[in-house]
Amino acid sequence: AQRVTQPEKLLSVFKGAPVELKCNYSYSGSPELFWYVQYSRQRLQLLLRHISRESIKGFTADLNKGETSFHLKKPFAQEEDSAMYYCALKTRITQGGSEKLVFGKGTKLTVNP
Amino acid sequence: DVKVTQSSRYLVKRTGEKVFLECVQDMDHENMFWYRQDPGLGLRLIYFSYDVKMKEKGDIPEGYSVSREKKERFSLILESASTNQTSMYLCASSLLGFYSPLHFGNGTRLTVT
């Protein structure tokens, strides 16, 4: 079964410190992974996706197939990074020709001044 | 910009009532999804649809049904609301494609008393 694990419910760092939000997945196929972010009183939105290999708002994430991980990293955290972060795994539904997204339980990041 | 609109921001219903949650997207997306979001449990997929009149069960479909009569509209139905269905409900849509991200609505906070 497909599963996404975010081991930390809460993560607190000081402004300027490095931050790493952990994500591990379980999937027998070829994974496509995403990070979504939800700022206070805003809708859930895409932060970055594995296929794009981009850096958004200073965040990067590397897929490690050997460790089945997709950790989110930022070298210098900012107060505006405080938010709820969700890792998500996209899986194929062969019969229907569609896909679904399985989410982890989320990590609440607080960046203190 | 993609717009996913959920008809109600807050709803209060009584136990046993039939509840309709409506979602409309304006970008001609094939896929539409209903998730519920609970603290400590993350996002859990209830139902999704990849075409008009097509639906697939997600991970927690019990007590829910859906309707997709038009491509832009995806309705979630609680046949007989119960207190354990008190939650934040999120609608999302995406293009058909493994790398397509989900676009979320603002959510409907449903309270069942």
Side-chain angles (χ1 to χ4, degrees):
Chain A
Q2 307 89 11
R3 189 165 57 242
V4 176
T5 303
Q6 294 180 250
E8 304 133 331
K9 271 190 179 180
L10 304 170
L11 186 61
S12 184
V13 301
F14 285 103
K15 177 182 172 182
V19 62
E20 181 181 54
L21 292 89
K22 291 184 168 51
C23 171
N24 289 90
Y25 66 91
S26 172
Y27 181 48
S28 57
S30 185
E32 181 55 29
L33 288 141
F34 301 78
W35 277 98
Y36 282 80
V37 61
Q38 190 169 31
Y39 301 103
S40 179
R41 285 187 282 277
Q42 293 188 28
R43 66 181 69 197
L44 197 62
Q45 58 187 285
L46 176 70
L47 179 61
L48 56 79
R49 47 187 159 172
H50 159 242
I51 192 67
S52 302
R53 300 186 191 280
E54 57 203 341
S55 173
I56 303 291
K57 299 184 179 183
F59 284 98
T60 58
D62 291 315
L63 177 62
N64 185 324
K65 289 187 178 181
E67 295 182 359
T68 59
S69 69
F70 189 57
H71 303 327
L72 184 68
K73 299 177 185 178
K74 185 169 183 176
F76 307 103
Q78 303 299 315
E79 288 181 68
E80 54 266 31
D81 297 328
S82 295
M84 195 75 181
Y85 291 81
Y86 293 95
C87 183
L89 167 70
K90 204 162 202 188
T91 65
R92 294 190 189 277
I93 311 298
T94 307
Q95 309 93 295
S98 184
E99 314 89 28
K100 69 174 188 178
L101 205 58
V102 176
F103 283 84
K105 294 184 178 181
T107 298
K108 185 174 182 180
L109 173 66
T110 302
V111 181
N112 299 299
Chain B
D1 202 17
V2 177
K3 193 161 185 190
V4 180
T5 304
Q6 294 183 232
S7 55
S8 304
R9 190 76 175 100
Y10 299 96
L11 270 181
V12 180
K13 297 291 182 180
R14 294 192 182 274
T15 301
E17 277 193 80
K18 191 168 185 176
V19 182
F20 293 85
L21 302 183
E22 307 287 346
C23 175
V24 176
Q25 50 95 4
D26 66 356
M27 283 301 290
D28 204 35
H29 284 174
E30 293 89 355
N31 291 334
M32 295 190 76
F33 305 82
W34 276 106
Y35 288 87
R36 62 178 283 177
Q37 183 182 30
D38 299 289
L41 297 178
L43 275 76
R44 293 179 291 167
L45 182 63
I46 305 171
Y47 266 97
F48 62 105
S49 167
Y50 55 90
D51 201 354
V52 176
K53 297 193 186 295
M54 304 301 290
K55 59 185 179 184
E56 295 276 353
K57 290 181 180 179
D59 301 313
I60 52 164
E62 297 77 19
Y64 303 94
S65 63
V66 289
S67 171
R68 192 161 181 206
E69 296 295 319
K70 293 185 177 181
K71 192 174 185 179
E72 67 271 17
R73 187 180 295 271
F74 193 36
S75 304
L76 180 69
I77 304 156
L78 286 67
E79 297 290 344
S80 177
S82 63
T83 54
N84 63 13
Q85 292 177 311
T86 292
S87 186
M88 173 68 85
Y89 289 87
L90 299 180
C91 176
S93 71
S94 76
L95 287 169
L96 193 65
F98 198 59
Y99 306 109
S100 298
L102 267 62
H103 299 266
F104 284 87
N106 273 325
T108 296
R109 169 77 63 186
L110 174 67
T111 302
V112 183
T113 62

